[in-house]
Coordinates of all heavy atoms in Angstrom, one line a residue:
D335 N -25.2 5.8 33.0 CA -25.0 5.0 31.7 C -23.5 4.9 31.5 O -22.9 3.8 31.1 CB -25.7 5.6 30.6 CG -27.1 5.3 30.5 OD1 -27.7 4.4 31.4 OD2 -27.9 6.0 29.8
K336 N -22.8 6.0 31.7 CA -21.4 6.1 31.4 C -20.6 5.1 32.3 O -19.7 4.5 31.9 CB -21.0 7.6 31.5 CG -19.8 7.9 30.6 CD -19.6 9.4 30.4 CE -18.3 9.5 29.8 NZ -17.7 10.9 30.0
I337 N -21.0 5.3 33.5 CA -20.3 4.4 34.5 C -20.6 2.9 34.2 O -19.6 2.1 34.2 CB -20.8 4.7 36.0 CG1 -20.4 6.1 36.3 CG2 -20.1 3.7 37.0 CD1 -21.1 6.7 37.8
L338 N -21.8 2.6 33.9 CA -22.2 1.1 33.5 C -21.3 0.7 32.4 O -20.8 -0.5 32.3 CB -23.7 1.1 33.3 CG -24.2 -0.3 33.2 CD1 -25.6 -0.5 33.8 CD2 -24.2 -0.9 31.8
I339 N -21.2 1.6 31.3 CA -20.4 1.2 30.3 C -19.0 0.9 30.6 O -18.4 -0.1 30.1 CB -20.5 2.2 29.1 CG1 -21.9 2.2 28.5 CG2 -19.4 2.1 28.0 CD1 -22.3 3.4 27.5
S340 N -18.4 1.8 31.4 CA -17.1 1.6 31.9 C -16.8 0.3 32.7 O -16.0 -0.5 32.4 CB -16.6 2.8 32.8 OG -16.5 4.0 32.1
L341 N -17.8 0.0 33.6 CA -17.7 -1.1 34.4 C -17.8 -2.4 33.7 O -17.4 -3.5 34.0 CB -18.6 -1.1 35.7 CG -18.3 0.0 36.8 CD1 -19.4 0.0 37.8 CD2 -16.9 -0.1 37.3
S342 N -18.6 -2.3 32.6 CA -18.9 -3.5 31.7 C -17.7 -3.8 30.8 O -17.7 -4.9 30.1 CB -20.0 -3.3 30.8 OG -21.2 -3.0 31.6
S343 N -16.7 -2.9 30.7 CA -15.5 -3.1 29.8 C -14.6 -4.1 30.5 O -14.6 -4.3 31.6 CB -14.9 -1.7 29.6 OG -14.2 -1.4 30.7
D344 N -13.8 -4.6 29.5 CA -12.8 -5.6 30.0 C -11.8 -5.0 31.1 O -11.2 -5.8 31.8 CB -11.8 -5.9 28.8 CG -12.7 -6.7 27.7 OD1 -13.7 -7.1 28.0 OD2 -12.1 -6.9 26.7
K345 N -11.6 -3.6 31.1 CA -10.8 -3.1 32.1 C -11.3 -3.5 33.5 O -10.4 -3.8 34.4 CB -10.7 -1.6 32.0 CG -9.8 -1.0 32.9 CD -9.6 0.5 32.7 CE -8.7 1.2 33.8 NZ -8.6 2.6 33.6
Y346 N -12.6 -3.5 33.7 CA -13.2 -3.6 35.1 C -13.9 -4.9 35.2 O -14.0 -5.5 36.3 CB -14.0 -2.5 35.5 CG -13.3 -1.2 35.5 CD1 -13.4 -0.3 34.5 CD2 -12.6 -0.9 36.6 CE1 -12.8 1.0 34.5 CE2 -11.9 0.4 36.7 CZ -12.0 1.3 35.7 OH -11.3 2.6 35.6
Q347 N -14.4 -5.4 34.2 CA -15.2 -6.7 34.2 C -14.4 -7.9 33.9 O -13.8 -7.9 32.8 CB -16.5 -6.6 33.4 CG -17.5 -7.8 33.5 CD -18.8 -7.5 32.9 OE1 -19.6 -6.7 33.2 NE2 -18.9 -8.2 31.8
A348 N -14.4 -8.9 34.7 CA -13.5 -10.1 34.5 C -14.3 -11.0 33.5 O -15.5 -11.0 33.3 CB -13.3 -10.8 35.8
G349 N -13.5 -11.8 32.8 CA -14.0 -12.8 31.9 C -14.6 -14.0 32.7 O -14.1 -14.2 33.9
V350 N -15.5 -14.7 32.1 CA -16.0 -15.9 32.8 C -15.0 -16.9 33.2 O -14.2 -17.1 32.3 CB -17.1 -16.4 31.9 CG1 -17.7 -17.8 32.5 CG2 -18.3 -15.6 31.6
G351 N -15.0 -17.3 34.4 CA -14.0 -18.2 34.9 C -12.8 -17.5 35.5 O -11.9 -18.2 36.1
E352 N -12.7 -16.2 35.3 CA -11.6 -15.5 35.8 C -12.0 -14.8 37.3 O -13.1 -14.9 37.6 CB -11.0 -14.4 34.9 CG -10.5 -14.8 33.6 CD -10.3 -13.6 32.7 OE1 -10.7 -12.5 33.1 OE2 -10.0 -14.0 31.5
N353 N -10.9 -14.2 37.9 CA -11.2 -13.3 39.1 C -11.9 -14.0 40.2 O -12.7 -13.5 40.8 CB -12.0 -12.1 38.5 CG -12.0 -10.9 39.3 OD1 -10.9 -10.6 40.0 ND2 -13.1 -10.1 39.3
N354 N -11.6 -15.3 40.4 CA -12.2 -16.1 41.5 C -13.7 -16.0 41.3 O -14.4 -16.0 42.4 CB -11.7 -15.8 42.8 CG -10.3 -16.1 43.0 OD1 -9.4 -15.4 42.6 ND2 -10.0 -17.1 43.8
N355 N -14.2 -15.8 40.1 CA -15.7 -15.7 39.9 C -16.4 -14.6 40.4 O -17.7 -14.4 40.5 CB -16.4 -17.0 40.3 CG -15.9 -18.3 39.6 OD1 -15.6 -19.2 40.3 ND2 -15.7 -18.2 38.3
F356 N -15.7 -13.5 40.9 CA -16.2 -12.1 41.1 C -16.4 -11.5 39.8 O -15.6 -11.8 38.8 CB -15.3 -11.3 42.0 CG -15.2 -11.9 43.5 CD1 -14.2 -12.7 43.9 CD2 -16.3 -11.6 44.4 CE1 -14.2 -13.1 45.2 CE2 -16.2 -12.0 45.7 CZ -15.3 -12.8 46.1
I357 N -17.3 -10.5 39.7 CA -17.6 -10.0 38.4 C -16.6 -8.8 38.1 O -16.1 -8.7 37.1 CB -19.0 -9.4 38.5 CG1 -20.1 -10.6 38.7 CG2 -19.4 -8.8 37.1 CD1 -21.3 -10.2 39.3
L358 N -16.5 -7.8 39.1 CA -15.6 -6.7 38.8 C -14.2 -6.9 39.4 O -14.1 -7.5 40.5 CB -16.3 -5.5 39.5 CG -17.6 -5.1 38.9 CD1 -18.1 -3.8 39.5 CD2 -17.5 -4.8 37.3
K359 N -13.3 -6.2 38.8 CA -11.9 -6.1 39.3 C -11.7 -4.8 39.8 O -12.6 -3.9 39.7 CB -10.9 -6.4 38.1 CG -11.2 -7.7 37.4 CD -10.2 -7.9 36.2 CE -10.7 -7.2 34.9 NZ -9.9 -7.5 33.7
H360 N -10.7 -4.5 40.4 CA -10.1 -3.2 40.8 C -11.0 -2.3 41.8 O -11.3 -1.2 41.6 CB -10.1 -2.2 39.5 CG -9.1 -2.9 38.4 ND1 -7.9 -3.4 38.8 CD2 -9.3 -3.1 37.1 CE1 -7.3 -3.9 37.7 NE2 -8.2 -3.7 36.7
S361 N -11.2 -2.9 43.0 CA -11.8 -2.2 44.1 C -10.8 -2.0 45.2 O -9.8 -2.7 45.2 CB -13.0 -2.9 44.5 OG -14.2 -2.9 43.6
V362 N -11.1 -1.1 46.1 CA -10.2 -0.9 47.2 C -11.0 -1.0 48.6 O -12.0 -0.3 48.7 CB -9.6 0.6 47.1 CG1 -8.8 0.8 48.4 CG2 -8.7 0.6 45.9
G363 N -10.5 -1.9 49.4 CA -11.1 -2.0 50.7 C -10.6 -0.8 51.7 O -11.4 0.1 51.8
S364 N -9.4 -1.0 52.0 CA -8.8 0.1 52.9 C -7.3 0.3 52.5 O -6.5 -0.5 52.9 CB -8.8 -0.3 54.4 OG -8.3 0.7 55.2
R365 N -7.2 1.5 51.7 CA -5.8 1.7 51.3 C -4.8 2.1 52.6 O -3.7 1.6 52.5 CB -5.8 3.0 50.4 CG -4.6 3.3 49.7 CD -4.3 2.6 48.5 NE -3.2 3.1 47.8 CZ -2.0 2.6 48.0 NH1 -1.6 1.8 48.8 NH2 -0.9 3.1 47.2
P366 N -5.3 3.0 53.6 CA -4.4 3.2 54.7 C -4.0 1.9 55.4 O -2.9 1.8 55.9 CB -5.3 4.1 55.7 CG -6.3 4.6 54.7 CD -6.6 3.7 53.7
A367 N -4.9 1.0 55.5 CA -4.5 -0.3 56.2 C -3.8 -1.2 55.2 O -3.4 -2.4 55.6 CB -5.8 -1.0 56.7
D368 N -3.6 -0.8 54.0 CA -3.0 -1.6 52.9 C -3.8 -3.0 52.8 O -3.1 -4.1 52.7 CB -1.6 -1.9 53.2 CG -0.8 -2.3 51.9 OD1 -1.3 -2.1 50.8 OD2 0.3 -2.9 52.0
S369 N -5.1 -3.0 52.9 CA -5.8 -4.2 52.9 C -6.8 -4.1 51.8 O -7.5 -3.0 51.6 CB -6.6 -4.2 54.3 OG -7.6 -5.1 54.3
E370 N -6.9 -5.2 51.1 CA -7.8 -5.3 49.9 C -7.7 -4.1 48.9 O -8.7 -3.5 48.6 CB -9.3 -5.3 50.4 CG -9.5 -6.6 51.3 CD -10.9 -6.6 51.9 OE1 -11.5 -5.6 52.1 OE2 -11.5 -7.9 52.0
V371 N -6.4 -4.0 48.5 CA -6.2 -2.9 47.5 C -6.2 -3.5 46.0 O -5.4 -4.4 45.8 CB -4.8 -2.1 47.8 CG1 -4.6 -1.0 46.8 CG2 -5.0 -1.5 49.2
D372 N -6.9 -2.9 45.2 CA -7.0 -3.4 43.7 C -7.4 -4.9 43.7 O -6.7 -5.6 43.1 CB -5.7 -3.1 43.1 CG -5.8 -3.2 41.6 OD1 -6.9 -3.1 41.1 OD2 -4.8 -3.4 40.9
V373 N -8.5 -5.2 44.2 CA -9.0 -6.4 44.3 C -10.5 -6.6 44.0 O -11.1 -5.5 43.9 CB -8.9 -7.0 45.8 CG1 -7.5 -7.2 46.2 CG2 -9.8 -6.2 46.7
P374 N -11.0 -7.8 43.7 CA -12.5 -7.8 43.7 C -13.2 -7.7 45.0 O -12.6 -8.2 46.0 CB -12.8 -9.3 43.0 CG -11.6 -10.0 43.3 CD -10.4 -9.1 43.5

Side-chain angles (χ1 to χ4, degrees):
D335 285 346
K336 209 165 165 197
I337 300 171
L338 191 145
I339 289 170
S340 295
L341 292 179
S342 302
S343 72
D344 294 348
K345 180 172 176 188
Y346 296 102
Q347 187 175 284
V350 173
E352 297 171 359
N353 204 32
N354 294 77
N355 303 127
F356 289 97
I357 301 155
L358 294 180
K359 306 178 271 186
H360 304 311
S361 290
V362 173
S364 177
R365 185 88 172 89
D368 199 18
S369 166
E370 300 178 327
V371 176
D372 197 16
V373 295

